[in-house]
Amino acid sequence: MFTANLSKFAYMLLLATDLDGTLLGGNYEEKHELYSIISANPSVRLVFVTGRGLPSILPLLNDPFIPNPDYIIADVGATVVDGKTLLPVEPLHTEIMSRWPGEALVRERLKQVPHLREQVVPMDRRCSYYLHEQLDITEVKSIANGLGCDVIVSAGKFVDVLPGGINKGFTLRRLMEMLNVPEKEVLVAGDTLNDLSLFETGYKGVVVGGAEKELLDATSGHQHVYQAERLGCGGILQALHHYNAVFDGI
Ligand SMILES: [Mg+2]
């Protein structure tokens, strides 16, 4: 879709991207093009920012097609590790831990809420459930807030209970500050409501094609958010073109 002369790549870029529906979305050609740009250019850094838990990200790290991240923000912001060593990034990790009352207590308190079914997925420092049409989300929020936790509903089907103030955007912001990454070098990308906090950081961003309507509504009119038409990697490529941040001559 885009003809890029990789030898001309002269800009620093840190792509902080959601995985499902974003970096893992799009057609083969678009994936190949974006992954090649990331892998072939040392001036491009990559951060995974996902709702997945770490164990379900590990297979991606062994997939030669997918570029390896410099850092991984997992569990909707509640986990942050080095992409190579997989060790927690300190002191950020300790700060997140200090805001979390523990999975056991959160589960115990939320057990009484009717129609709240827990997801069976790997998770740390968060508890994730399914959204049911008869679920009283106000009750969930009230109990979670009482424990100092936040609640994020996304994709119309997931409910995440997180440490207070922790979300994808918070953890990315702190990480960028720790690494001294200039604001203009950062591009965030996502497709559902649990990505909204990424677009509220003030970094320039792309909502990729096929995104959740609520995310499109919440980010429409924001000057620093580009709403792409193409799915996944295609949308990120469109954003690189739109921001004219990457190549000469496109
Ligand atoms: Mg997604």
Side-chain angles (χ1 to χ4, degrees):
M1 182 168 65
F2 299 107
T3 310
N5 181 349
L6 296 181
S7 66
K8 280 187 174 181
F9 198 101
Y11 297 88
M12 298 293 289
L13 174 72
L14 187 142
L15 175 63
T17 177
D18 171 55
L19 294 177
D20 299 288
T22 310
L23 188 68
L24 302 179
N27 65 35
Y28 176 82
E29 287 73 22
E30 291 163 339
K31 285 183 187 174
H32 185 264
E33 180 168 356
L34 182 64
Y35 295 173
S36 301
I37 289 169
I38 296 166
S39 299
N41 290 281
S43 59
V44 178
R45 285 186 283 178
L46 180 64
V47 179
F48 288 174
V49 192
T50 177
R52 293 190 190 199
L54 213 44
S56 59
I57 299 167
L58 297 183
L60 303 178
L61 305 181
N62 295 318
D63 184 335
F65 185 52
I66 300 170
N68 280 348
D70 296 278
Y71 291 90
I72 299 170
I73 294 172
D75 292 300
V76 206
T79 292
V80 54
V81 299
D82 184 287
K84 290 182 182 63
T85 65
L86 301 182
L87 291 172
V89 175
E90 293 291 6
L92 196 41
H93 175 74
T94 300
E95 182 179 353
I96 295 167
M97 287 280 285
S98 73
R99 299 186 188 201
W100 182 236
E103 284 93 312
L105 181 60
V106 174
R107 273 200 196 107
E108 180 60 30
R109 292 287 170 82
L110 287 173
K111 221 167 54 179
Q112 56 182 287
V113 181
H115 310 294
L116 187 62
R117 190 162 58 89
E118 194 166 347
Q119 294 179 35
V120 184
V121 292
M123 53 178 95
D124 290 299
R125 290 163 297 282
R126 56 135 175 165
C127 288
S128 297
Y129 300 87
Y130 292 104
L131 187 63
H132 186 280
E133 55 186 18
Q134 287 172 283
L135 175 69
D136 181 357
I137 194 70
T138 317
E139 188 182 359
V140 175
K141 285 181 178 171
S142 165
I143 294 171
N145 293 346
L147 292 169
C149 296
D150 289 344
V151 176
I152 298 178
V153 176
S154 69
K157 53 184 173 183
F158 301 124
V159 179
D160 293 308
V161 181
L162 291 159
I166 303 299
N167 50 54
K168 289 182 172 185
F170 171 88
T171 305
L172 179 67
R173 256 276 166 209
R174 282 293 169 89
L175 181 65
M176 296 301 94
E177 286 163 8
M178 277 182 56
L179 301 174
N180 287 317
V181 179
E183 184 135 354
K184 63 179 171 46
E185 293 179 8
V186 181
L187 176 68
V188 301
D191 73 324
T192 70
L193 264 190
N194 78 11
D195 300 311
L196 178 59
S197 62
L198 289 175
F199 300 103
E200 292 172 339
T201 55
Y203 296 126
K204 60 183 177 292
V206 50
V207 175
V208 298
E212 185 177 358
K213 183 180 180 303
E214 285 80 357
L215 180 66
L216 288 167
D217 292 345
T219 57
S220 77
H222 289 209
Q223 264 211 321
H224 63 280
V225 179
Y226 173 70
Q227 297 188 338
E229 288 165 16
R230 303 193 69 87
L231 303 179
C233 288
I236 296 175
L237 287 167
Q238 282 188 302
L240 295 181
H241 185 269
H242 169 77
Y243 288 117
N244 199 19
V246 182
F247 304 112
D248 291 329
I250 59 172

